[in-house]
Amino acid sequence: MENAEWNRDELLKQSTDLILEYLEQKKYFMARDELMKYNAADIAEMLEEVSDEASLRMTVILFRLLPKDVSVDVFSYMSSDGQVDIVSEITDKETQFIVDELDFDDKIDILEELPANLVNRILEKTPRSERHLINTFLNYPDNSAGSLMTPEFVSLKKDWTVREAMEHIKEVGTDAETIYTCYVRDNAWKLIGIVPLSTLVVTNSDTKINEVMRTEFVCEYVDTDQEEVSDDFQKYDLIAIPVVDKEYRLVGIITVDDILDVMEDEATEDIERMNGVIDLDNSDSDYLDISVIQHAKNRLPWLLVLMIAYIFTGMIVTNFENALSSMIALVTYMPMLMGTGGNCGSQAATLIIRGLATGEVELDDWMRIMWKELRIGVVVGVVLSAVNFLRVTIIDGQSAIVAVTVCTSLLFIVMIAKLIGSMIPLIVKGIHLDPALVANPAISSVSDAIALSIYFVMAGLFLHV
Amino acid sequence: MENAEWNRDELLKQSTDLILEYLEQKKYFMARDELMKYNAADIAEMLEEVSDEASLRMTVILFRLLPKDVSVDVFSYMSSDGQVDIVSEITDKETQFIVDELDFDDKIDILEELPANLVNRILEKTPRSERHLINTFLNYPDNSAGSLMTPEFVSLKKDWTVREAMEHIKEVGTDAETIYTCYVRDNAWKLIGIVPLSTLVVTNSDTKINEVMRTEFVCEYVDTDQEEVSDDFQKYDLIAIPVVDKEYRLVGIITVDDILDVMEDEATEDIERMNGVIDLDNSDSDYLDISVIQHAKNRLPWLLVLMIAYIFTGMIVTNFENALSSMIALVTYMPMLMGTGGNCGSQAATLIIRGLATGEVELDDWMRIMWKELRIGVVVGVVLSAVNFLRVTIIDGQSAIVAVTVCTSLLFIVMIAKLIGSMIPLIVKGIHLDPALVANPAISSVSDAIALSIYFVMAGLFLHV
């Protein structure tokens, strides 16, 4: 396998094609053997490809041919849609086996996706103590630290020696999600310290745990939003973080691999919101798995709100109908003025929304931001107006006074759009809403209305229409 | 400190205010003591706040009052702008000390930011072997695996026992960026296996390394783009990944904490590109640290390109001038039709661009995407047209035939905008460019032109203007 790394994607694709061929010829075991050359994450990807290219039935056949322990691992790497598909085709007993064997946090994830009656049947056969724990975990709100954590961590006592601690880790190690950070609790389960495994490894065996544990550490409360958790991972360079309840009792840990997924999901959510798509059913489903109706529902709210905004834009135009009909050439520049205003506004809004999300700018910075955008607006506006002056006079052959009208309007529109685009996200943040929700479409439509108003005022001033 | 976690942000803010007060009263040591209650990451954040709120001089005074080892740690957590600011105020000798003490990858990061003459002065005083290594690392292209990696890893021999390995780790452990994954090389430095520390800890001491090492693993080539590296971390749930050169020799490792920053930077880049901002000087500087001129330069390219696109939109309007002046009411609906088309197109484009980035959709899916968007377009178009029919007839009091013209146009515009918005990113991806670069503004302006064309054709059909 060694050289496989060079072109892993290419190799995966070739093997997938080979497997599809085997499947077509009903050479199931050869397909299985080809699959088994890869690790669980790759096999999961290839099985999902088989579902897409051949059929779900073929995927299930292959899945059943995998050794039991491999199949559980592969299952844990599949997308939640892929997991639900597999479960829909296998028996309850097989599902029960997989769920029992999964790591605790993967177990919770799949139980959340499965239909309620199946979850009940599975829980019936789960030992009572674990059933209780599962139910507790299923009740943590989506996107909270509680929903991300696993109860599988290594817990040490403060009066143990490093040697005792290492022996304990050797015993329980394989059941823990990670053993790289160990946690020290007092008798009331309160978290009192953490010890990285690296410290244990380099420390003398007779040292007591309370001499090496760190009593200052970052931890999260079960209700904390996942975005804050991910910010802390980034700020403090962590690979795991403890989660405590209101009484400061350690209830679980979150590992960094789950945070990578959180970061991707949060970025996707921001990007979609900024462009007027609201994920109404809050699913992490893939684009192609979301139904047409759900897609339409996610997109319609903003479009309908803006529809109302355009009533005002329409009114502005109507008010100006006489002037326009007396000089119809003015209509020619409407799309350019509105479009440029919208784009300038959304550029500024994008930088501020992202800056707020990454902590680059804060509400207190509003004066500095305003001053900066004002100057940027002047520079950008002057350049665009100059270019535009040439277009209006040379390409369109209009008179200088028309060009002056259009270009003066453009300058003011750019400046005001930059100011509005940068200030609206700050105001929205100020009233504790997500700035990404004041999507670019909204900023565009506000700047459309302003662009038209400025244009018509300028036309009145310069052209006396 | 224990309960400090509950409201860490709040606490940090209070302490920062207290420190600012102390500084004003010239109580520098009290300010230092307040600062020392926190860990390096927090201190770094507070020092940057002091720069903003008081002055850089105050920050440097505080920085110098920190114990030497703490100051190096704090320095490594500062933003690169903050680091450069500090270096500009301290002596070469102090800088030399910090650079010497930094972890290797942090050392490379700061050397990349410092002015060339200072870098040369520092390198002069660096031992020759390390100078050579530093120069090699400084030459890896930005955003490559090579630029992210550190040469500080634990290397084991395959014929060692686990006991020997653990002793080796105890010796070299504290110099390694992470000891959680150890690497096995043959005599030619070729990477032949990896051993997680967790395996060593739970394995019998007399076992040989080559019995426990994994020979199948994911690794990266020094030239690989950081986006691919971060995808692999996510797919395989890794905390470190080895980096090899063309001869498959292990040259460094990348740790997951650096990947969190990569993911944030890549998301920022995508978000900015999608909204028409191009980071021309490819800096990771904060919004407020970028000059007005650089901001203007980053934003002007797209605006200028679109300026040209609007010449065509203008032509379409001009062609239709006679019709418009014979029925000026038609102008009223132009902003709504163009705006809605633009928004629909950018919604579709956003989902596809993000889907391509996260691997949810692929080029091969284009038929399925097209079919999906077509149906979504019908649903969204029908709903918007119905709402709009009421607006045109009831609110605006226009005749039914005008309403039919506007609404039929709207239906077609929505459908075509969804198709174009979803297909353009796929085409751009097909010719191996970044789909995010075909920014939403571009899609808006294409759909503007199409919206106007459809509208005027419909007006010709229904209203015979």
Side-chain angles (χ1 to χ4, degrees):
Chain A
M1 276 305 299
E2 252 174 52
N3 284 302
E5 322 306 334
W6 294 119
N7 259 309
R8 212 173 172 93
D9 285 349
E10 201 45 49
L11 244 153
L12 280 181
K13 213 179 140 32
Q14 283 174 16
S15 283
T16 310
D17 289 345
L18 193 59
I19 288 166
L20 288 168
E21 227 169 87
Y22 286 147
L23 289 177
E24 213 165 293
Q25 303 159 6
K26 300 203 160 59
K27 295 178 179 163
Y28 299 123
F29 283 89
M30 290 181 69
R32 195 265 315 258
D33 292 343
E34 183 64 27
L35 212 52
M36 289 292 293
K37 289 182 188 164
Y38 293 88
N39 63 34
D42 290 327
I43 297 178
E45 189 178 301
M46 292 160 93
L47 284 183
E48 302 216 33
E49 195 67 25
V50 169
S51 279
D52 283 357
E53 300 291 322
S55 69
L56 176 57
R57 227 191 88 241
M58 289 296 169
T59 301
V60 174
I61 291 175
L62 277 176
F63 184 76
R64 282 182 160 142
L65 287 177
L66 294 172
K68 285 277 176 215
D69 56 325
V70 175
S71 70
V72 173
D73 232 18
V74 167
F75 187 85
S76 76
Y77 278 105
M78 295 182 89
S79 68
S80 58
D81 291 319
Q83 291 176 332
V84 173
D85 285 348
I86 293 270
V87 169
S88 70
E89 295 286 317
I90 61 178
T91 64
D92 278 12
K93 217 177 131 191
E94 286 171 305
T95 306
Q96 180 87 39
F97 174 80
I98 292 172
V99 171
D100 284 349
E101 295 294 313
L102 282 172
D103 279 344
F104 195 88
D105 57 343
D106 292 329
K107 191 178 297 190
I108 297 299
D109 288 346
I110 176 69
L111 287 177
E112 273 170 350
E113 296 294 330
L114 294 181
N117 56 345
L118 180 55
V119 171
N120 288 335
R121 288 204 301 276
I122 290 173
L123 286 182
E124 266 171 33
K125 288 176 197 145
T126 309
R128 216 176 109 193
S129 61
E130 191 178 345
R131 195 161 65 220
H132 180 70
L133 198 56
I134 290 176
N135 274 318
T136 312
F137 271 67
L138 284 175
N139 282 323
Y140 289 121
D142 259 7
N143 303 335
S144 69
S147 74
L148 286 173
M149 71 185 181
T150 169
E152 293 162 323
F153 51 82
V154 177
S155 178
L156 306 177
K157 295 225 187 313
K158 72 178 193 315
D159 47 3
W160 283 357
T161 61
V162 166
R163 183 181 300 110
E164 284 173 304
M166 290 298 281
E167 269 157 27
H168 178 72
I169 292 170
K170 223 173 231 187
E171 261 167 53
V172 303
T174 44
D175 281 336
E177 169 102 2
T178 177
I179 63 173
Y180 293 136
T181 314
C182 304
Y183 301 90
V184 187
R185 294 190 285 195
D186 66 10
N187 292 331
W189 284 45
K190 268 189 67 177
L191 179 63
I192 54 173
I194 66 168
V195 196
L197 180 63
S198 56
T199 305
L200 293 178
V201 166
V202 300
T203 305
N204 193 300
S205 301
D206 296 317
T207 315
K208 292 268 185 199
I209 291 300
N210 63 359
E211 294 171 45
V212 290
M213 73 182 189
R214 282 166 40 199
T215 53
E216 200 202 304
F217 46 83
V218 182
C219 66
E220 306 291 341
Y221 176 55
V222 281
D223 278 354
T224 306
D225 188 79
Q226 61 177 11
E227 204 160 353
E228 279 178 53
V229 178
S230 119
D231 287 347
D232 281 343
F233 265 92
Q234 224 184 327
K235 177 171 169 194
Y236 299 106
D237 289 346
L238 303 168
I239 56 173
I241 207 167
V243 182
V244 297
D245 65 12
K246 282 220 167 71
E247 282 76 43
Y248 216 76
R249 288 177 305 211
L250 178 63
V251 287
I253 61 167
I254 299 171
T255 51
V256 69
D257 53 317
D258 295 318
I259 293 303
L260 294 178
D261 298 331
V262 167
M263 285 186 74
E264 186 172 283
D265 289 347
E266 294 284 335
T268 300
E269 189 185 83
D270 275 7
I271 290 174
E272 290 181 1
R273 285 185 172 183
M274 285 169 77
N275 292 293
V277 180
I278 301 172
D279 188 4
L280 282 179
D281 69 343
N282 199 16
S283 81
D284 297 329
S285 292
D286 283 6
Y287 171 87
L288 288 169
D289 294 325
I290 297 173
S291 72
V292 168
I293 295 298
Q294 189 60 48
H295 266 299
K297 277 188 189 164
N298 291 346
R299 301 182 196 186
L300 273 167
W302 259 125
L303 294 174
L304 285 170
V305 169
L306 296 177
M307 214 82 218
I308 296 164
Y310 286 121
I311 296 179
F312 296 100
T313 323
M315 284 176 178
I316 297 171
V317 177
T318 309
N319 261 329
F320 208 68
E321 251 175 26
N322 292 334
L324 281 179
S325 53
S326 75
M327 191 164 185
I328 196 78
L330 287 177
V331 179
T332 310
Y333 303 105
M334 276 172 49
M336 185 274 290
L337 292 171
M338 290 190 294
T340 306
N343 290 332
C344 285
S346 83
Q347 285 178 334
T350 300
L351 289 167
I352 299 305
I353 292 172
R354 187 65 188 160
L356 286 168
T358 59
E360 278 184 24
V361 297
E362 283 166 37
L363 282 189
D364 293 349
D365 296 324
W366 72 272
M367 291 254 295
R368 292 170 66 193
I369 295 171
M370 202 177 216
W371 174 228
K372 192 145 224 155
E373 287 298 325
L374 194 68
R375 287 175 297 160
I376 298 170
V378 172
V379 176
V380 171
V382 167
V383 173
L384 292 181
S385 296
V387 172
N388 212 55
F389 192 89
L390 299 178
R391 173 207 159 172
V392 177
T393 48
I394 297 173
I395 298 183
D396 297 347
Q398 297 283 356
S399 64
I401 190 75
V402 170
V404 167
T405 307
V406 173
C407 294
T408 319
S409 305
L410 185 57
L411 176 61
F412 282 109
I413 290 168
V414 168
M415 286 170 57
I416 292 177
K418 293 270 179 219
L419 283 183
I420 290 176
S422 57
M423 288 302 119
I424 288 183
L426 294 174
I427 293 167
V428 175
K429 174 88 177 181
I431 53 173
H432 300 289
L433 290 175
D434 179 3
L437 270 180
V438 198
N440 283 321
I443 286 173
S444 297
S445 75
V446 172
S447 69
D448 273 0
I450 289 171
L452 290 175
S453 308
I454 291 176
Y455 186 36
F456 296 153
V457 168
M458 291 297 156
L461 274 178
F462 289 108
L463 302 170
H464 313 290
V465 288
Chain B
M1 277 304 297
E2 252 174 52
N3 284 302
E5 322 306 335
W6 294 117
N7 258 308
R8 212 174 173 93
D9 285 349
E10 200 46 47
L11 245 152
L12 280 181
K13 212 178 143 32
Q14 283 174 15
S15 284
T16 311
D17 289 345
L18 193 60
I19 289 166
L20 288 169
E21 226 168 89
Y22 286 147
L23 289 175
E24 213 163 293
Q25 303 159 8
K26 300 204 158 65
K27 295 178 179 164
Y28 299 123
F29 282 90
M30 287 180 73
R32 194 265 315 260
D33 292 343
E34 183 65 26
L35 212 51
M36 289 293 291
K37 289 183 188 166
Y38 293 88
N39 63 33
D42 290 327
I43 297 178
E45 189 178 303
M46 292 159 93
L47 284 184
E48 303 216 31
E49 195 67 25
V50 170
S51 278
D52 283 357
E53 300 291 323
S55 70
L56 175 58
R57 226 192 87 241
M58 289 296 169
T59 301
V60 172
I61 292 176
L62 277 176
F63 184 77
R64 281 180 160 144
L65 287 177
L66 295 172
K68 284 277 174 215
D69 55 327
V70 175
S71 71
V72 172
D73 231 19
V74 168
F75 188 84
S76 76
Y77 278 104
M78 295 182 91
S79 70
S80 59
D81 290 320
Q83 291 176 332
V84 173
D85 285 348
I86 292 272
V87 168
S88 70
E89 294 287 319
I90 61 179
T91 65
D92 277 13
K93 217 178 133 191
E94 286 170 305
T95 307
Q96 181 87 39
F97 173 79
I98 291 172
V99 172
D100 285 348
E101 295 294 313
L102 282 173
D103 278 345
F104 195 89
D105 56 345
D106 292 328
K107 190 178 299 190
I108 297 300
D109 288 345
I110 178 69
L111 287 176
E112 272 170 349
E113 297 294 330
L114 294 180
N117 56 345
L118 180 56
V119 171
N120 288 336
R121 289 204 301 277
I122 290 174
L123 285 182
E124 266 172 32
K125 289 175 196 144
T126 309
R128 215 177 108 194
S129 61
E130 189 177 345
R131 195 161 66 220
H132 180 70
L133 197 56
I134 289 176
N135 275 319
T136 312
F137 271 68
L138 284 175
N139 281 324
Y140 289 119
D142 258 6
N143 303 335
S144 69
S147 74
L148 288 172
M149 70 186 182
T150 168
E152 294 162 321
F153 51 83
V154 178
S155 179
L156 306 177
K157 294 225 187 313
K158 73 176 191 314
D159 46 2
W160 282 356
T161 61
V162 167
R163 182 179 301 109
E164 286 173 303
M166 290 296 281
E167 269 157 26
H168 179 71
I169 291 170
K170 225 173 232 187
E171 263 167 51
V172 302
T174 43
D175 283 336
E177 168 103 1
T178 177
I179 63 172
Y180 294 136
T181 315
C182 304
Y183 301 90
V184 187
R185 295 189 286 196
D186 66 10
N187 293 330
W189 284 44
K190 266 190 66 176
L191 179 62
I192 54 173
I194 66 168
V195 197
L197 180 63
S198 55
T199 306
L200 294 177
V201 166
V202 300
T203 306
N204 193 298
S205 301
D206 296 319
T207 313
K208 292 269 187 200
I209 291 299
N210 63 358
E211 293 171 46
V212 291
M213 73 183 189
R214 283 165 40 198
T215 53
E216 200 202 304
F217 47 82
V218 182
C219 67
E220 308 290 341
Y221 177 56
V222 281
D223 278 353
T224 307
D225 187 81
Q226 62 177 11
E227 204 162 353
E228 279 178 54
V229 178
S230 119
D231 287 347
D232 280 343
F233 265 92
Q234 225 184 325
K235 178 172 167 194
Y236 299 106
D237 289 345
L238 303 168
I239 55 173
I241 206 166
V243 182
V244 298
D245 65 12
K246 281 221 170 67
E247 282 76 41
Y248 215 77
R249 288 177 304 210
L250 179 62
V251 288
I253 61 167
I254 299 171
T255 51
V256 69
D257 53 316
D258 295 319
I259 294 302
L260 294 178
D261 298 332
V262 168
M263 285 186 74
E264 185 172 283
D265 289 347
E266 294 284 334
T268 300
E269 189 186 83
D270 274 7
I271 289 175
E272 290 180 1
R273 285 185 172 183
M274 285 169 77
N275 294 292
V277 180
I278 301 171
D279 188 4
L280 282 179
D281 69 342
N282 198 18
S283 82
D284 297 328
S285 291
D286 284 6
Y287 170 87
L288 288 169
D289 294 324
I290 298 173
S291 72
V292 168
I293 295 299
Q294 189 60 47
H295 266 298
K297 277 188 188 164
N298 292 345
R299 302 183 194 185
L300 273 168
W302 258 124
L303 295 173
L304 285 170
V305 169
L306 295 177
M307 215 82 217
I308 296 163
Y310 286 121
I311 296 178
F312 297 99
T313 323
M315 283 176 179
I316 296 170
V317 178
T318 309
N319 261 327
F320 206 69
E321 251 175 25
N322 291 334
L324 280 179
S325 53
S326 74
M327 190 163 185
I328 197 77
L330 286 176
V331 179
T332 310
Y333 303 105
M334 276 171 48
M336 186 274 292
L337 292 171
M338 290 189 295
T340 307
N343 290 332
C344 285
S346 83
Q347 285 179 332
T350 299
L351 289 167
I352 301 304
I353 292 171
R354 187 65 188 160
L356 286 168
T358 60
E360 279 184 24
V361 298
E362 282 167 35
L363 282 189
D364 294 349
D365 295 324
W366 71 273
M367 289 256 295
R368 292 171 67 195
I369 294 171
M370 201 177 216
W371 174 227
K372 192 146 224 152
E373 287 297 328
L374 195 67
R375 289 175 297 160
I376 298 169
V378 172
V379 175
V380 171
V382 166
V383 173
L384 292 181
S385 296
V387 172
N388 211 55
F389 191 89
L390 298 178
R391 173 208 160 171
V392 177
T393 50
I394 297 172
I395 298 183
D396 297 348
Q398 297 283 356
S399 65
I401 191 75
V402 171
V404 167
T405 307
V406 174
C407 295
T408 319
S409 305
L410 184 58
L411 176 63
F412 282 109
I413 290 168
V414 169
M415 285 169 58
I416 293 177
K418 292 271 177 217
L419 284 182
I420 290 175
S422 57
M423 289 302 118
I424 288 182
L426 293 173
I427 293 167
V428 175
K429 173 86 178 181
I431 54 175
H432 300 289
L433 289 175
D434 179 3
L437 270 180
V438 197
N440 283 321
I443 287 172
S444 296
S445 75
V446 172
S447 69
D448 273 0
I450 289 170
L452 290 175
S453 308
I454 291 177
Y455 185 37
F456 297 152
V457 168
M458 290 298 156
L461 273 178
F462 289 108
L463 303 170
H464 314 290
V465 287

